[in-house]
Amino acid sequence: MTYSHFTTPRWFAYDGGWENPAAVDRFARYCEASTKHLGDSISYAGTFNEPDLMMLLRWIQLPNGLRLTDTMTNAQPRVRRQLRAEMFSSFFVGNAEKMRETMLLAHTKGKAAIKSLQPALATGLTLAIEDDQPAPSDSHAEQKQSEVYGPWLQLAKQDDFVGVQTYTRQRVGKVDLPPPENAELTQSGYEFYPEALEHTIRYASRVTGVPVLVTENGVAAENDERRIEYIKRAIAGVQRCREDKVDVRGYFYWSLLDNFEWVSGYGPKFGLVSVNRETQARTIKPSAALYGALARKTRMS
């Protein structure tokens, strides 16, 4: 279970969202109330889904030279309040460093609230981690890792697990660079690169020293044969990690159904099961059968 997966109440967003220090205690009370209601039915508890995403987006440069989040971050306070209230998530608008500090504290206090009611419940958070690979020259890959993932991975050292969410690799220069020329691209515009997952599992495990749970990994592809290829290669990487005694506790493919993918709508097809939007009929894809067979064959402790 993830307690906060991007979306927030409009009143919370309009009152400053994660820039408001009051968010720490508000989130802790929310975690306490949710755990009281659902605690016995939860196997793993994640406080936040991808709280590092705001910092990660800062590495994307637009054609006009601005960073992706500059316009929202530098908007006037009144405009920022309105943007937060109208968008699905309040941590895409505002001062990224200030929001991160609040959310780091909220994770710690929220986890304490969860543990006060369910001490044995494995609790952590999930992070969006790209397989950052240095460009041939003038690369800032280490700076990016330190800025985007560093504070969260340090905090995760005190957790029961760290959730890794990886889809591709990213070549890094002064900013994130486009995929290599002639690279195969997914429907999301990512490079088709299943091996990225093995690299980010090893990275997260090495830095934190805690068990790793792959909480998201998948590919947007109309051709299910490419999904099959992606899953085979990604899970082969997971198995190599386990053979090297990296503590990987589980793997979750994203996603079961062809879903509504935020700003991309129903275009990208991530699902193991297709959905007819007119009739709502579900059709199991061959990739689902493969995934099930691999799960039965390679059970994880």
Side-chain angles (χ1 to χ4, degrees), residues 192 217-233 235 251-258 269-275 283-296:
F192 185 96
N217 176 248
V219 63
E222 189 75 48
N223 182 348
D224 198 54
E225 289 297 320
R226 300 312 295 152
R227 183 173 295 101
I228 288 172
E229 177 70 12
Y230 187 98
I231 292 172
K232 284 180 177 179
R233 287 162 55 181
I235 292 183
Y251 171 96
F252 293 90
Y253 177 83
W254 181 271
S255 62
L256 174 63
L257 303 176
D258 286 336
K269 301 296 189 293
F270 279 93
L272 300 169
V273 177
S274 64
V275 181
T283 303
I284 297 173
K285 301 177 186 178
S287 56
L290 169 78
Y291 184 48
L294 288 172
R296 288 188 292 272

Side-chain angles (χ1 to χ4, degrees), residues 30-190:
Y30 165 71
C31 288
E32 181 180 19
S34 299
T35 306
K36 283 180 179 178
H37 186 66
L38 299 170
D40 291 340
S41 62
I42 305 172
S43 299
Y44 285 89
T47 54
F48 290 110
N49 174 74
E50 299 184 347
D52 59 331
L53 191 56
M54 182 65 171
M55 298 297 290
L56 186 62
L57 292 175
R58 294 178 71 178
W59 283 80
I60 300 175
Q61 183 169 293
L62 299 174
N64 58 9
L66 291 174
R67 299 292 180 97
L68 181 62
T69 55
D70 282 348
T71 301
M72 293 181 182
T73 301
N74 296 328
Q76 293 297 315
R78 179 181 60 81
V79 176
R80 284 161 56 180
R81 284 197 301 272
Q82 189 63 31
L83 282 170
R84 273 194 296 262
E86 296 298 332
M87 294 180 68
F88 66 83
S89 174
S90 60
F91 75 77
F92 286 118
V93 182
N95 184 293
E97 288 86 356
K98 187 174 181 179
M99 287 189 286
R100 180 175 62 191
E101 291 309 307
T102 302
M103 294 178 78
L104 287 166
L105 292 172
H107 167 72
T108 300
K109 200 157 188 177
K111 183 178 70 172
I114 295 167
K115 290 287 194 178
S116 70
L117 296 167
Q118 296 285 341
L121 180 57
T123 307
L125 48 80
T126 66
L127 298 175
I129 305 181
E130 296 176 325
D131 177 16
D132 294 313
Q133 299 184 7
S137 62
D138 198 18
S139 176
H140 294 239
E142 290 188 3
Q143 177 189 342
K144 177 185 176 182
Q145 290 179 334
S146 174
E147 176 182 300
V148 177
Y149 320 123
W152 292 104
L153 291 175
Q154 290 301 313
L155 189 64
K157 291 179 178 182
Q158 309 302 319
D159 292 343
D160 299 312
F161 71 93
V162 59
V164 169
Q165 305 191 167
T166 297
Y167 292 89
T168 189
R169 72 169 173 173
Q170 182 62 62
R171 298 185 307 142
V172 183
K174 291 183 178 179
V175 294
D176 285 349
L177 302 176
E181 189 175 354
N182 300 321
E184 178 183 355
L185 302 182
T186 72
Q187 288 181 305
S188 298
Y190 303 154

Side-chain angles (χ1 to χ4, degrees), residues 88 254-255 257-268 270 277:
F88 66 83
W254 181 271
S255 62
L257 303 176
D258 286 336
N259 60 299
F260 187 91
E261 186 63 19
W262 302 117
V263 296
S264 301
Y266 291 117
F270 279 93
R277 299 298 165 189

